[in-house]
């Protein structure tokens, strides 16, 4: 398979509410920053992939069609790929496949969400089958909380361990210029915060954000002209039928399948040792614990211990979410691409205040739906 | 696609439900499951052979956010790679072709579906419009079709009679297509005298929305040759997007369809569109279809009507095209399925060695996609 | 499985559903200014910094070249029709305002027969508006035969733009039950029984019933009754309030695997002291459906009021 690299990355300064720009203006900001980072213009871009949260989060159907005119994409190939919260990574994968097929030399992926505009929980309830369960649904929070409770009992993913995730990510976000939640908190703060869908409490939950992220992917040829590419060493995105027989809600099978495939592609047999930095998309803190196990950073049931050991802290041996993860900013449609962008910046040495020294191999995880859409990617400063 | 180190890719099977005004007895999952099952039957492929599912549908039409999430089991996507392209299925076919051609998968299933009967088509189209300047005026697909038709007639010199003929021919051909549920084709007179739903267009000139699902299977060459007895090669792909505002488009023309066609021909290594004697094109109205035909290069400006006469060198929409049967998110993939059927003996004696298929999405057909096939 | 069957719920039965969502849309500077200007009977355009096109209505970015739009121009109210159509009672037109490069979409007030391409028109303003600062703050255009050709000038006034616009999306649906849901809800309504479909290969019973097993992709071959009691697989104590919620917090959200089935069912857990939920409920415990009185049953999952913990 042909090599694909990330040539440039841009993010907006995410905010609880951006009142100065429309959704297309927000996206344009990220696109211009990515082009600048890659030292390219839109003329150099062959194709555009747009990613956003579900259409009903905002009020424009197929918004990529409106967005195209704000980013100079007129007359270019433009498609929108969606995958709930994982849309940004799903979009990146579509772009990777365009480059691998020789269909495009440079693809711009733009992922965004302007969550301030809509009624988030209610729009999320429209995910559910109108016949069966919609009336009982509590967004994704209820379902996520319920299975966290199960994992608490079966795998020891305690409220304390999840609180440590929140503390870590909030602290890391202080260093991230794009994050808008800048709050240093303690484990006590998290445990005492208001239970929303117990065991999920207020401080286990990321903010609602407006934000966009753009990533430019290119062929090996295009990368030659780039100063500092980050190579895609593996990427996969798997799904699981949301109500299949005996669906394991304890470990995420699509995640482990995607991770196995990506590790094979990237030649990784021991992710804990071979990966330098990790970015995961934690829609609630409990998920980060789950991902430690799903990504093979520790054995099943070992997540609380890994968290407590300090290994995933920014100065640990396997830092997870040095950017602050979703706790610093969570524009859902952009979040997955932000995770990829952050690890790319890490291996390019461009992560600024939260740079993991000497980072060469980065691992990104993202996903959406009912925790049944899961993607993984590995990037490296080396082509392999 | 035409690159040395990449394997060629082929469509090895297709399947489609009948296109009906309303599939009242079936849910989306039922249409999807039936189509995938039909697709696999007799194809030489089993569900386990499929590496990736690309699905195309609309949250707004389905009445459900991330609607593909609820349909994954019916698509056979469980524990496979899956991606949803929220656009006409023909765009999904490009993704599937790229996935296989680039080496990430050996076999890809592309499925598109919709049930416009369950929702408001006007709601679907009006929510596509820009919310500050266009939507509050009540712009939807009907008014968009009228405005574009008015421009086409004003600038190209084509006549209302030409548009009536295009609609007439579409309905006539569709009445012979058993995959389109129809009571009977309207006469030329019926079309001329029907309600002027969006001046200058009468009601039968606006595409009729139908429920349906369609799926295709794409495989890399080495697999296609082993398991399929009728592979049809995907030789070229291209897509391009036009302006969101109707007022910014070139009057009377579909520039993005032109660009998409150019890309497709270039990647197929074909310089003359006239090499294609079979074209299956999408349209949301008679005038829009004329503009697509001209954009592709089959006729000069205003002269698309020549392609609908008996001695036309190119056969446009032997299936009847989209005017009699437009399942919105699946329309372009239906065109691709029809083209595959023609080239693979699905209609008896094979009359063509290549075909070009077209699909579009958005208000007034903003986003265009073209795929070329060769038997 | 055969798709033909008889059901108390007719073959073409539908479930009506509505999606009603409120939004506040952010306009961006250009639209925010343009819309307020309309209140003052001013029509604004902008110029693209890069390609110099004069764009009406004012937008922040130039779609043609991707450039930034700068400054506002006050446009003349006169122009010519460049496209027209009539749908029901409304005549839509494109208007090429004098001095603009991009045409404006709006409404024509007058007979369709007079709205010819090329006809001169002028802006028409409403007597009063229900809501200010909308595209409808301009009523549209009417004929202005032989009107002089105007020109634009840089806009020197000050406008306090809006930055947000409230919006409501209402979408109605009629979802077909389909063969399997039809049968399932029929059983619920008629017999207060829950049924699933059995996979012909793995023999797992799937609720709601479906044609294909998600895992095996084999067809399901039988409908099977499942118990209205089962294992509590997961639960959460809900305190969150949100638009469109159908229960009043606090309540317990639960996922149950009914005995005889292999799939999860979402419902509420009740019939016990919720304040002690953390102590009383355990993962894996048996819970049983508490049905509403038969005359209150409608043939939906809500016919079960809640699932109650079963204590040994």
């Amino acid at each position: 398979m042909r090599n694909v690299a990330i040539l440039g990355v841009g993010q907006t300064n995410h905010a609880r509410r951006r009142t100065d720009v429309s959704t297309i203006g927000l996206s344009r900001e990220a696109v211009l920053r990515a082009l600048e980072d890659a030292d390219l213009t839109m003329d150099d871009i062959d194709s555009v992939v747009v990613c956003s949260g579900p259409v009903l989060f905002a009020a424009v159907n197929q918004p990529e069609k409106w967005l195209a005119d704000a980013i100079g994409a007129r007359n270019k190939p433009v498609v929108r790929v969606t995958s709930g919260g994982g849309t940004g990574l799903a979009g990146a994968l579509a772009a990777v496949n365009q480059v691998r097929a020789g269909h495009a030399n440079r693809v711009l992926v733009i992922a965004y969400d302007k969550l301030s505009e809509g009624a988030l929980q209610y729009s999320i309830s429209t995910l559910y089958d109108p016949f069966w369960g919609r009336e009982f649904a509590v967004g994704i929070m209820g379902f996520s909380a319920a299975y966290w409770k199960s994992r608490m009992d079966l795998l020891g993913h305690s409220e304390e361990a999840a609180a440590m995730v929140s503390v870590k990510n909030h602290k890391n976000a202080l260093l991230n210029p794009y994050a808008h939640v800048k709050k240093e908190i303690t484990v006590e703060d998290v445990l005492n915060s208001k239970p929303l869908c117990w065991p999920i409490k207020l401080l286990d939950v990321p903010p609602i954000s407006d934000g966009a992220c753009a990533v430019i992917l290119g062929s090996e040829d295009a990368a030659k002209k780039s100063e500092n590419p980050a190579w895609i060493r593996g990427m996969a995105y798997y799904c699981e039928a949301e109500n299949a027989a005996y669906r394991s809600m304890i470990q995420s099978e699509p995640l482990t399948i995607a991770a196995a495939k990506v590790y094979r592609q990237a030649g990784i047999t021991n992710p804990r040792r071979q990966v330098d930095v990790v970015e995961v998309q934690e829609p609630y803190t409990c998920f980060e614990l789950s991902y430690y196990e799903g990504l093979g950073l520790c054995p099943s049931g070992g997540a609380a211990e890994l968290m407590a050991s300090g290994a995933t802290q920014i100065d640990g041996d396997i830092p997870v979410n040095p950017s602050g993860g979703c706790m610093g900013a969570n524009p859902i449609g952009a979040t997955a691409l932000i995770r990829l962008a952050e690890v790319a910046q890490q291996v390019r040495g461009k992560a600024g205040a939260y740079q993991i020294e000497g980072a060469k191999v980065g691992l990104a995880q993202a996903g959406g739906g009912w925790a049944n859409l899961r993607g993984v990617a590995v990037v490296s400063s080396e082509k392999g | 696609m035409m690159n040395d180190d990449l394997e060629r890719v082929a469509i090895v099977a297709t399947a489609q439900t009948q296109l009906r005004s309303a599939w009242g007895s079936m849910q989306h999952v039922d249409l999807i499951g039936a189509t995938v099952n039909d697709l696999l039957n007799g194809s030489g492929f089993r569900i386990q052979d499929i590496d990736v599912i690309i699905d195309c549908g609309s949250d707004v039409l389905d009445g459900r956010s991330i609607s593909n999430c609820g349909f994954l089991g019916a698509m056979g996507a469980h524990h496979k790679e899956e991606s949803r392209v929220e656009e006409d299925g023909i765009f999904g076919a490009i993704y599937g072709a790229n996935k296989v051609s680039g080496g990430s998968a050996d076999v890809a299933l592309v499925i598109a579906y919709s049930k416009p009967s369950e929702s408001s088509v006007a709601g679907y189209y009006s929510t596509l419009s820009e919310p500050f300047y266009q939507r509050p005026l009540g712009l939807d697909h009907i008014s968009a079709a009228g405005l574009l038709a008015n421009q086409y007639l004003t600038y190209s010199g084509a006549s209302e009679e030409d548009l009536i003929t295009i609609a007439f021919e579409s309905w006539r051909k569709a009445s012979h297509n058993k995959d389109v549920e129809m009571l009977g084709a309207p006469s030329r007179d019926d079309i001329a005298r029907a309600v002027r739903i969006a001046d200058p267009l009468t009601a039968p000139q606006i595409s009729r929305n139908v429920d349906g699902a369609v799926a295709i299977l794409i495989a890399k060459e080495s697999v296609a040759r082993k398991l399929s007895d009728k592979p049809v090669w995907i030789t070229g792909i291209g897509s391009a997007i036009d302006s969101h505002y109707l007022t910014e488009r070139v009057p009377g023309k579909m520039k993005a369809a032109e660009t998409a066609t150019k890309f497709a021909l270039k990647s197929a290594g074909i310089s003359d569109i006239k090499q294609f004697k079979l074209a299956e094109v999408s349209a949301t109205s008679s005038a829009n279809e004329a503009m697509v035909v001209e954009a592709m290069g089959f006729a000069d400006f205003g002269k698309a009507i020549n392609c609908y006469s008996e001695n036309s060198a190119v056969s446009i929409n032997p299936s009847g095209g989209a005017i009699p049967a437009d399942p919105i998110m699946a329309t372009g993939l239906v065109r691709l399925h029809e083209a595959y059927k023609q080239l693979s003996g699905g209609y008896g004696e094979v009359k063509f060695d290549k075909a070009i298929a077209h699909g579009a999405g958005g208000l007034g057909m903003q986003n265009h996609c073209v795929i070329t096939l060769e038997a | 499985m055969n798709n033909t069957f008889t059901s108390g719920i007719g073959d073409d039965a539908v479930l009506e559903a509505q999606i009603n969502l409120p939004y506040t849309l952010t306009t961006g500077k250009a639209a925010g200014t343009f819309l307020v200007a309309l209140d003052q009977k001013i029509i604004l355009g902008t110029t693209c910094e890069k390609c110099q096109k004069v764009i009406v209505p004012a937008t922040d970015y130039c779609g043609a070249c991707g450039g930034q739009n700068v400054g506002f121009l006050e446009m003349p109210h006169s122009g010519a029709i460049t496209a027209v159509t009539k749908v029901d009672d409304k005549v839509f037109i494109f208007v090429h305002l004098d001095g603009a490069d991009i045409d404006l979409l709006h409404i024509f007030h007058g007979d369709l027969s007079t709205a010819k391409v090329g006809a001169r028109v002028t802006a028409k303003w409403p007597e009063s508006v229900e809501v200010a600062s909308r595209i409808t703050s301009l009523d549209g255009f009417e004929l202005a035969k032989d009107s002089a050709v105007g020109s634009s000038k840089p806009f020197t006034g000050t406008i306090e733009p809006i930055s947000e616009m409230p919006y409501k999306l209402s979408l109605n649906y009629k979802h077909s039950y389909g063969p399997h849901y039809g049968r399932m809800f029929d059983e619920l309504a008629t017999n207060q029984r829950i049924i699933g479909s059995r996979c012909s290969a793995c023999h797992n019973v799937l609720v709601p019933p479906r044609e294909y097993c998600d895992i095996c992709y084999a067809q399901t071959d039988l409908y099977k009754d499942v118990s209205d009691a089962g294992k509590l697989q997961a639960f959460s104590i809900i305190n969150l309030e949100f638009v469109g919620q159908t229960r009043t917090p606090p309540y317990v959200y639960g996922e149950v695997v009914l005995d005889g089935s292999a799939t999860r069912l979402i419902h509420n857990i009740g019939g016990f002291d919720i304040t002690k939920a953390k102590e009383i409920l355990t993962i894996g415990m048996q819970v049983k459906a508490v049905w509403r009185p038969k005359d209150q049953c409608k043939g939906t999952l809500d016919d079960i009021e809640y699932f109650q913990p079963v204590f040994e």
Side-chain angles (χ1 to χ4, degrees), chain A residues 30-50:
Chain A
V31 168
L32 292 178
R33 288 182 182 182
L35 287 172
E36 194 183 355
D37 188 42
D39 197 24
L40 296 169
T41 70
M42 272 310 278
D43 287 341
D44 302 309
I45 300 296
D46 301 310
S47 165
V48 179
V49 178
V50 179

PDB file of all heavy atoms in Angstrom, chain A residues 30-50:
ATOM      1  N   ALA A  30     -10.049  27.004  10.528  1.00  0.00           N
ATOM      2  CA  ALA A  30      -9.188  25.827  10.677  1.00  0.00           C
ATOM      3  C   ALA A  30      -8.499  25.498   9.363  1.00  0.00           C
ATOM      4  O   ALA A  30      -7.319  25.133   9.328  1.00  0.00           O
ATOM      5  CB  ALA A  30     -10.006  24.632  11.165  1.00  0.00           C
ATOM      6  N   VAL A  31      -9.234  25.629   8.267  1.00  0.00           N
ATOM      7  CA  VAL A  31      -8.666  25.320   6.949  1.00  0.00           C
ATOM      8  C   VAL A  31      -7.497  26.253   6.637  1.00  0.00           C
ATOM      9  O   VAL A  31      -6.432  25.811   6.200  1.00  0.00           O
ATOM     10  CB  VAL A  31      -9.753  25.423   5.853  1.00  0.00           C
ATOM     11  CG1 VAL A  31      -9.132  25.390   4.462  1.00  0.00           C
ATOM     12  CG2 VAL A  31     -10.759  24.286   6.008  1.00  0.00           C
ATOM     13  N   LEU A  32      -7.679  27.527   6.879  1.00  0.00           N
ATOM     14  CA  LEU A  32      -6.604  28.481   6.582  1.00  0.00           C
ATOM     15  C   LEU A  32      -5.370  28.178   7.421  1.00  0.00           C
ATOM     16  O   LEU A  32      -4.235  28.268   6.951  1.00  0.00           O
ATOM     17  CB  LEU A  32      -7.083  29.922   6.818  1.00  0.00           C
ATOM     18  CG  LEU A  32      -8.154  30.428   5.834  1.00  0.00           C
ATOM     19  CD1 LEU A  32      -8.594  31.844   6.183  1.00  0.00           C
ATOM     20  CD2 LEU A  32      -7.643  30.402   4.403  1.00  0.00           C
ATOM     21  N   ARG A  33      -5.593  27.785   8.684  1.00  0.00           N
ATOM     22  CA  ARG A  33      -4.448  27.470   9.550  1.00  0.00           C
ATOM     23  C   ARG A  33      -3.723  26.220   9.072  1.00  0.00           C
ATOM     24  O   ARG A  33      -2.494  26.152   9.111  1.00  0.00           O
ATOM     25  CB  ARG A  33      -4.922  27.301  10.996  1.00  0.00           C
ATOM     26  CG  ARG A  33      -5.321  28.623  11.616  1.00  0.00           C
ATOM     27  CD  ARG A  33      -5.746  28.496  13.056  1.00  0.00           C
ATOM     28  NE  ARG A  33      -6.164  29.817  13.570  1.00  0.00           N
ATOM     29  CZ  ARG A  33      -6.561  30.053  14.800  1.00  0.00           C
ATOM     30  NH1 ARG A  33      -6.617  29.075  15.686  1.00  0.00           N
ATOM     31  NH2 ARG A  33      -6.929  31.271  15.159  1.00  0.00           N
ATOM     32  N   ALA A  34      -4.487  25.223   8.610  1.00  0.00           N
ATOM     33  CA  ALA A  34      -3.847  23.998   8.122  1.00  0.00           C
ATOM     34  C   ALA A  34      -3.052  24.275   6.850  1.00  0.00           C
ATOM     35  O   ALA A  34      -1.937  23.765   6.668  1.00  0.00           O
ATOM     36  CB  ALA A  34      -4.900  22.923   7.866  1.00  0.00           C
ATOM     37  N   LEU A  35      -3.619  25.074   5.965  1.00  0.00           N
ATOM     38  CA  LEU A  35      -2.915  25.410   4.721  1.00  0.00           C
ATOM     39  C   LEU A  35      -1.618  26.149   5.043  1.00  0.00           C
ATOM     40  O   LEU A  35      -0.570  25.883   4.444  1.00  0.00           O
ATOM     41  CB  LEU A  35      -3.810  26.273   3.822  1.00  0.00           C
ATOM     42  CG  LEU A  35      -4.972  25.543   3.144  1.00  0.00           C
ATOM     43  CD1 LEU A  35      -5.904  26.531   2.450  1.00  0.00           C
ATOM     44  CD2 LEU A  35      -4.460  24.526   2.123  1.00  0.00           C
ATOM     45  N   GLU A  36      -1.719  27.034   6.022  1.00  0.00           N
ATOM     46  CA  GLU A  36      -0.528  27.793   6.387  1.00  0.00           C
ATOM     47  C   GLU A  36       0.529  26.865   6.973  1.00  0.00           C
ATOM     48  O   GLU A  36       1.715  26.951   6.633  1.00  0.00           O
ATOM     49  CB  GLU A  36      -0.907  28.868   7.420  1.00  0.00           C
ATOM     50  CG  GLU A  36       0.173  29.892   7.599  1.00  0.00           C
ATOM     51  CD  GLU A  36      -0.161  30.918   8.664  1.00  0.00           C
ATOM     52  OE1 GLU A  36      -1.286  30.882   9.208  1.00  0.00           O
ATOM     53  OE2 GLU A  36       0.716  31.749   8.959  1.00  0.00           O
ATOM     54  N   ASP A  37       0.076  25.951   7.831  1.00  0.00           N
ATOM     55  CA  ASP A  37       1.000  24.999   8.459  1.00  0.00           C
ATOM     56  C   ASP A  37       1.680  24.133   7.402  1.00  0.00           C
ATOM     57  O   ASP A  37       2.851  23.763   7.536  1.00  0.00           O
ATOM     58  CB  ASP A  37       0.223  24.113   9.448  1.00  0.00           C
ATOM     59  CG  ASP A  37       1.134  23.231  10.268  1.00  0.00           C
ATOM     60  OD1 ASP A  37       2.188  23.721  10.722  1.00  0.00           O
ATOM     61  OD2 ASP A  37       0.809  22.040  10.437  1.00  0.00           O
ATOM     62  N   ALA A  38       0.954  23.815   6.333  1.00  0.00           N
ATOM     63  CA  ALA A  38       1.505  22.947   5.289  1.00  0.00           C
ATOM     64  C   ALA A  38       2.191  23.745   4.194  1.00  0.00           C
ATOM     65  O   ALA A  38       2.779  23.164   3.277  1.00  0.00           O
ATOM     66  CB  ALA A  38       0.384  22.115   4.675  1.00  0.00           C
ATOM     67  N   ASP A  39       2.100  25.051   4.286  1.00  0.00           N
ATOM     68  CA  ASP A  39       2.665  25.937   3.258  1.00  0.00           C
ATOM     69  C   ASP A  39       2.066  25.635   1.889  1.00  0.00           C
ATOM     70  O   ASP A  39       2.777  25.454   0.886  1.00  0.00           O
ATOM     71  CB  ASP A  39       4.210  25.797   3.223  1.00  0.00           C
ATOM     72  CG  ASP A  39       4.843  26.971   2.483  1.00  0.00           C
ATOM     73  OD1 ASP A  39       4.221  28.053   2.416  1.00  0.00           O
ATOM     74  OD2 ASP A  39       5.961  26.793   1.937  1.00  0.00           O
ATOM     75  N   LEU A  40       0.740  25.560   1.860  1.00  0.00           N
ATOM     76  CA  LEU A  40       0.017  25.253   0.617  1.00  0.00           C
ATOM     77  C   LEU A  40      -1.139  26.231   0.444  1.00  0.00           C
ATOM     78  O   LEU A  40      -1.491  26.959   1.374  1.00  0.00           O
ATOM     79  CB  LEU A  40      -0.571  23.837   0.683  1.00  0.00           C
ATOM     80  CG  LEU A  40       0.392  22.655   0.770  1.00  0.00           C
ATOM     81  CD1 LEU A  40      -0.388  21.374   1.093  1.00  0.00           C
ATOM     82  CD2 LEU A  40       1.163  22.483  -0.529  1.00  0.00           C
ATOM     83  N   THR A  41      -1.717  26.244  -0.772  1.00  0.00           N
ATOM     84  CA  THR A  41      -2.962  26.999  -0.985  1.00  0.00           C
ATOM     85  C   THR A  41      -4.039  26.008  -1.420  1.00  0.00           C
ATOM     86  O   THR A  41      -3.738  24.846  -1.721  1.00  0.00           O
ATOM     87  CB  THR A  41      -2.804  28.057  -2.087  1.00  0.00           C
ATOM     88  OG1 THR A  41      -2.675  27.381  -3.349  1.00  0.00           O
ATOM     89  CG2 THR A  41      -1.603  28.946  -1.846  1.00  0.00           C
ATOM     90  N   MET A  42      -5.271  26.485  -1.507  1.00  0.00           N
ATOM     91  CA  MET A  42      -6.358  25.596  -1.929  1.00  0.00           C
ATOM     92  C   MET A  42      -6.121  25.075  -3.349  1.00  0.00           C
ATOM     93  O   MET A  42      -6.617  24.018  -3.702  1.00  0.00           O
ATOM     94  CB  MET A  42      -7.720  26.302  -1.865  1.00  0.00           C
ATOM     95  CG  MET A  42      -8.437  26.207  -0.523  1.00  0.00           C
ATOM     96  SD  MET A  42      -8.568  24.527   0.159  1.00  0.00           S
ATOM     97  CE  MET A  42      -9.988  23.903  -0.740  1.00  0.00           C
ATOM     98  N   ASP A  43      -5.365  25.798  -4.143  1.00  0.00           N
ATOM     99  CA  ASP A  43      -5.058  25.313  -5.497  1.00  0.00           C
ATOM    100  C   ASP A  43      -4.295  23.997  -5.458  1.00  0.00           C
ATOM    101  O   ASP A  43      -4.360  23.204  -6.398  1.00  0.00           O
ATOM    102  CB  ASP A  43      -4.212  26.350  -6.257  1.00  0.00           C
ATOM    103  CG  ASP A  43      -5.050  27.555  -6.664  1.00  0.00           C
ATOM    104  OD1 ASP A  43      -6.288  27.438  -6.688  1.00  0.00           O
ATOM    105  OD2 ASP A  43      -4.452  28.614  -6.951  1.00  0.00           O
ATOM    106  N   ASP A  44      -3.562  23.776  -4.364  1.00  0.00           N
ATOM    107  CA  ASP A  44      -2.782  22.546  -4.252  1.00  0.00           C
ATOM    108  C   ASP A  44      -3.628  21.368  -3.789  1.00  0.00           C
ATOM    109  O   ASP A  44      -3.186  20.225  -3.823  1.00  0.00           O
ATOM    110  CB  ASP A  44      -1.643  22.738  -3.231  1.00  0.00           C
ATOM    111  CG  ASP A  44      -0.723  23.878  -3.615  1.00  0.00           C
ATOM    112  OD1 ASP A  44      -0.258  23.875  -4.777  1.00  0.00           O
ATOM    113  OD2 ASP A  44      -0.463  24.755  -2.769  1.00  0.00           O
ATOM    114  N   ILE A  45      -4.834  21.665  -3.338  1.00  0.00           N
ATOM    115  CA  ILE A  45      -5.687  20.613  -2.777  1.00  0.00           C
ATOM    116  C   ILE A  45      -6.513  19.979  -3.889  1.00  0.00           C
ATOM    117  O   ILE A  45      -7.182  20.677  -4.652  1.00  0.00           O
ATOM    118  CB  ILE A  45      -6.629  21.199  -1.703  1.00  0.00           C
ATOM    119  CG1 ILE A  45      -5.812  21.824  -0.565  1.00  0.00           C
ATOM    120  CG2 ILE A  45      -7.586  20.137  -1.161  1.00  0.00           C
ATOM    121  CD1 ILE A  45      -4.959  20.865   0.232  1.00  0.00           C
ATOM    122  N   ASP A  46      -6.477  18.643  -3.961  1.00  0.00           N
ATOM    123  CA  ASP A  46      -7.205  17.938  -5.023  1.00  0.00           C
ATOM    124  C   ASP A  46      -8.613  17.550  -4.608  1.00  0.00           C
ATOM    125  O   ASP A  46      -9.481  17.377  -5.452  1.00  0.00           O
ATOM    126  CB  ASP A  46      -6.460  16.644  -5.389  1.00  0.00           C
ATOM    127  CG  ASP A  46      -5.061  16.934  -5.861  1.00  0.00           C
ATOM    128  OD1 ASP A  46      -4.895  17.795  -6.739  1.00  0.00           O
ATOM    129  OD2 ASP A  46      -4.116  16.305  -5.330  1.00  0.00           O
ATOM    130  N   SER A  47      -8.824  17.399  -3.330  1.00  0.00           N
ATOM    131  CA  SER A  47     -10.093  16.837  -2.883  1.00  0.00           C
ATOM    132  C   SER A  47     -10.345  17.237  -1.435  1.00  0.00           C
ATOM    133  O   SER A  47      -9.403  17.481  -0.681  1.00  0.00           O
ATOM    134  CB  SER A  47      -9.992  15.308  -3.026  1.00  0.00           C
ATOM    135  OG  SER A  47     -10.998  14.655  -2.324  1.00  0.00           O
ATOM    136  N   VAL A  48     -11.614  17.331  -1.076  1.00  0.00           N
ATOM    137  CA  VAL A  48     -11.979  17.749   0.279  1.00  0.00           C
ATOM    138  C   VAL A  48     -12.913  16.720   0.909  1.00  0.00           C
ATOM    139  O   VAL A  48     -13.860  16.255   0.264  1.00  0.00           O
ATOM    140  CB  VAL A  48     -12.700  19.119   0.246  1.00  0.00           C
ATOM    141  CG1 VAL A  48     -13.097  19.552   1.652  1.00  0.00           C
ATOM    142  CG2 VAL A  48     -11.817  20.176  -0.396  1.00  0.00           C
ATOM    143  N   VAL A  49     -12.633  16.360   2.157  1.00  0.00           N
ATOM    144  CA  VAL A  49     -13.549  15.505   2.913  1.00  0.00           C
ATOM    145  C   VAL A  49     -14.021  16.311   4.118  1.00  0.00           C
ATOM    146  O   VAL A  49     -13.201  16.854   4.859  1.00  0.00           O
ATOM    147  CB  VAL A  49     -12.857  14.211   3.396  1.00  0.00           C
ATOM    148  CG1 VAL A  49     -13.826  13.368   4.223  1.00  0.00           C
ATOM    149  CG2 VAL A  49     -12.348  13.401   2.211  1.00  0.00           C
ATOM    150  N   VAL A  50     -15.312  16.412   4.290  1.00  0.00           N
ATOM    151  CA  VAL A  50     -15.883  17.187   5.386  1.00  0.00           C
ATOM    152  C   VAL A  50     -16.465  16.242   6.424  1.00  0.00           C
ATOM    153  O   VAL A  50     -17.059  15.209   6.073  1.00  0.00           O
ATOM    154  CB  VAL A  50     -16.994  18.128   4.861  1.00  0.00           C
ATOM    155  CG1 VAL A  50     -17.623  18.919   6.007  1.00  0.00           C
ATOM    156  CG2 VAL A  50     -16.432  19.081   3.814  1.00  0.00           C
TER     157      VAL A  50
END
